[in-house]
Structure formats: structure tokens, C-alpha cells
Amino acid sequence: MTVYLLRRISQSLLVLVAMSMIVFIGVYAVGDPVEILISPDADQMERERAIQALGLDLPLWEQYGVFVWRALHGDLGRSFVYNEPALQLILQKMPATLELAFGSMFISVLIGLPLGMYAGLKPDSPGSKMIMAGSILGFSLPTFWVGLMLIMVFAVQLGWLPSTGRGETAYFLGLQWSFLTANGLSHLVMPAINLALFKISLVIRLTRSGVRETMLMDYVKFARAKGLSPARVTFVHVFKNILIPVVTVVGLELGSTIAFSVVTESVFAWPGMGKLIIDSINVLDRPVIVAYLMIIVLMFITINLIVDLLYSALDPRVRLEGKA
């Protein structure tokens, strides 16, 4: 285990360094934030002072060197717009995005697993066919359109749920969370469901295929031949084995949910990292863009490592040394 972890950490560091170069060069080589941030009425001296203050007068490779040196000391740069540390701005918005992402993944597993189990155990039933047809809609419908429909139906016409914002929050572990209050939870429901639709369809199809494949295994047939009850066969022998691919995919999808929650946050005006990055792109706030992308890369690397460890815990046949 120790050797495996050391190998994975070294690989992760190489990936992080490579991605930092790609992200930094890709962001800093495009556009000119000075044209947006500085008034057109400013004279040349004021423009030069602003360029020097932002560090844009240095060659690109020197800017990258400064970025790496500061990053090693926990500083990912200062926002051009807010004049605050970019990392601090993102960490302020991160709880809202994490709350939305984990809420959507919880909904997708809570709904997708039972529906997928039912569709796998009774593949020819009308209910199973309806579930699989509904999963196609979950893959096909655009997120922004579903979000607008949810707002129109449940917020405008029925008035059951608030349309935008995060609502009231409560402190836990020094951070603000909306799911701890009734008002905040009501604000969380629609954006979490909107973000979860694609994941629900994915979990349903993954679970169904896993059930259909596992039911044909010899150990399941042997368990039935021993006279075990259908419930025990299903929830002890089948359920545990279908969790292996489900945990793997859901874990990897968590990273993409965090990274690509931008549309949902924009539709519902959810004050998370996605909305911050959209605003930063509009004004070419380069330090915030780079810091956001680097944090997302770090999240993906961490989630992949955790998924590998969970995979090996669920299936003892998997040897970590072999996977490395």
C-alpha cells in the first residue's frame, strides 16, 4: 500500500506540473486584460504603471516562474478585479459548489440505484421499460433547458420552491452551508435535481447492466440452489458486486460534476465557483481562472486516488501493485 501511494503521489505531481504549464500558458497567452480593466481615457503612463503592477510586463516564461514560486508558498496570485488572493476568492465560493455537487450525487445514487436494481431484476416488465426510456431523456435533455423548466413550473407557476440564490445558511466546521437550514435546503433542491438528471440516468443504466450480468454468475446460481431467499441473494450477493463499477463511475463523475456545474449555477444564480469563473472569464481575470483550473485538476487527482482505494476495498481480487 505504501509503495502504491508513493507511486501515485509522484505521478500526480507530474500531472500537476504538466497541467500547470498548459493552463498558465493557455490562459496568459490569450487576450489582454489591460484593455478591459483600464479606462480608455487613461494615458500611456497610467497604462504602463497598471501593466507593471499586474506583472504583465514580464516575458511569459518569467510570469510562469513567478507563478510557480508563489504557488509553492500557497499563493496562486491576486485577482486583477477584486485585488484579493485568488485562492481566497475560490475557497469562499467552494462550499456552495461542493454542497451542490454532493447534493446532486446523493440524489443520483438515491434514485438511480433502486430504479436500476428494479430494471435489472425485472427487465421485461412495463415499469422497467419506462425507467429505461426515462433514462434516455436524462441523457438527452439540455441542462439549461431543464433548469428553466424547473423554475417555470415549481417556482413561477406552483410557487413551491425559490427560483434563485442560496437562501439562509448555517455555520458548520467554520463554513457556511445551506442544507442545514430549511430555507437553504429549499433553495438547494431544484439546482441539485437539475445537476443530478444526467447522473441518475448514468447510475440507472450502469446498475441495470451490472445486475443483469451478475445474475448469470455461478455464485448467484449456487446461492439460489442453497435455498437462500431472493432478498438475501439480491442484497448480499448481487448488490455488493454491482457496487464496484458504480462506485468507480460515481467517484469519477463527482469531479466532473464539480468542474462542470457552471451552467446550473448560472441558471439558478447559485453563488459557487462556476459563477465566479464565468465572471472572471468575462473580464479576463487571469489569476482567478488559473487558480480555479488548478484546484479542479487537484480535485480530479485526489478523487481518482480515493476511487482506486475504494475499488480495491470492495474487490479484494484487485491488487494495487498491479494497477500501479
Side-chain angles (χ1 to χ4, degrees):
M1 179 67 74
T2 304
V3 174
Y4 172 75
L5 286 175
L6 290 175
R7 286 178 180 175
R8 284 302 305 269
I9 291 172
S10 61
Q11 292 170 1
S12 300
L13 290 176
L14 291 176
V15 172
L16 199 61
V17 171
M19 288 304 301
S20 70
M21 295 179 62
I22 295 172
V23 167
F24 188 89
I25 295 173
V27 172
Y28 273 73
V30 176
D32 185 6
V34 175
E35 298 297 331
I36 299 176
L37 299 174
I38 300 178
S39 171
D41 300 329
D43 58 28
Q44 187 61 30
M45 291 185 63
E46 290 177 345
R47 291 174 62 86
E48 290 179 357
R49 281 198 299 269
I51 292 173
Q52 186 174 6
L54 296 176
L56 301 177
D57 57 327
L58 300 175
L60 188 59
W61 66 271
E62 287 189 27
Q63 293 183 47
Y64 177 71
V66 172
F67 166 76
V68 171
W69 176 254
R70 291 178 176 174
L72 292 175
H73 294 79
D75 180 9
L76 295 179
R78 298 185 69 85
S79 168
F80 292 164
V81 176
Y82 301 100
N83 195 28
E84 294 181 19
L87 184 59
Q88 177 180 323
L89 287 172
I90 294 172
L91 292 179
Q92 289 173 354
K93 303 291 185 179
M94 186 180 290
T97 297
L98 292 179
E99 184 176 47
L100 181 59
F102 279 102
S104 68
M105 296 307 296
F106 175 76
I107 292 173
S108 66
V109 172
L110 186 66
I111 297 176
L113 268 180
L115 293 181
M117 288 283 290
Y118 177 83
L121 293 172
K122 299 183 179 180
D124 298 323
S125 65
S128 176
K129 293 178 181 178
M130 289 180 61
I131 290 172
M132 299 311 295
S135 69
I136 295 175
L137 289 178
F139 281 120
S140 306
L141 296 176
T143 303
F144 72 89
W145 182 84
V146 174
L148 293 175
M149 292 300 104
L150 289 174
I151 291 174
M152 184 178 297
V153 174
F154 294 102
V156 177
Q157 295 184 353
L158 299 177
W160 291 353
L161 296 169
S163 59
T164 57
R166 197 180 178 196
E168 297 177 2
T169 59
Y171 277 95
F172 178 67
L173 299 177
L175 301 173
Q176 289 182 319
W177 306 96
S178 59
F179 74 94
L180 297 176
T181 65
N183 180 264
L185 191 60
S186 65
H187 282 77
L188 178 63
V189 170
M190 279 201 298
I193 291 176
N194 182 51
L195 193 59
L197 283 178
F198 179 85
K199 312 302 179 187
I200 291 173
S201 301
L202 182 63
V203 172
I204 287 174
R205 290 185 166 269
L206 194 62
T207 304
R208 180 188 181 276
S209 64
V211 170
R212 297 303 300 154
E213 181 180 352
T214 306
M215 293 297 288
L216 301 176
M217 295 292 183
D218 291 338
Y219 66 86
V220 175
K221 295 178 181 178
F222 181 71
R224 284 176 169 176
K226 285 171 59 179
L228 298 180
S229 65
R232 182 173 177 82
V233 172
T234 300
F235 293 103
V236 175
H237 296 278
V238 175
F239 184 72
K240 182 179 179 180
N241 284 277
I242 66 169
L243 278 181
I244 297 172
V246 171
V247 166
T248 303
V249 174
V250 168
L252 297 178
E253 285 295 320
L254 176 61
S256 64
T257 303
I258 296 172
F260 303 118
S261 61
V262 176
V263 174
T264 298
E265 291 186 6
S266 300
V267 171
F268 291 93
W270 188 262
M273 295 190 299
K275 191 172 185 303
L276 174 65
I277 194 63
I278 288 295
D279 295 338
S280 300
I281 290 173
N282 289 332
V283 295
L284 284 179
D285 196 349
R286 289 173 172 174
V288 176
I289 299 172
V290 172
Y292 170 81
L293 294 175
M294 292 307 302
I295 289 175
I296 293 299
V297 169
L298 187 59
M299 282 185 177
F300 268 100
I301 292 173
T302 304
I303 290 172
N304 285 343
L305 179 59
I306 293 173
V307 167
D308 281 346
L309 296 177
L310 288 176
Y311 191 95
S312 64
L314 288 171
D315 189 353
R317 295 171 300 175
V318 176
R319 292 291 179 262
L320 295 180
E321 292 81 7
K323 293 185 66 177

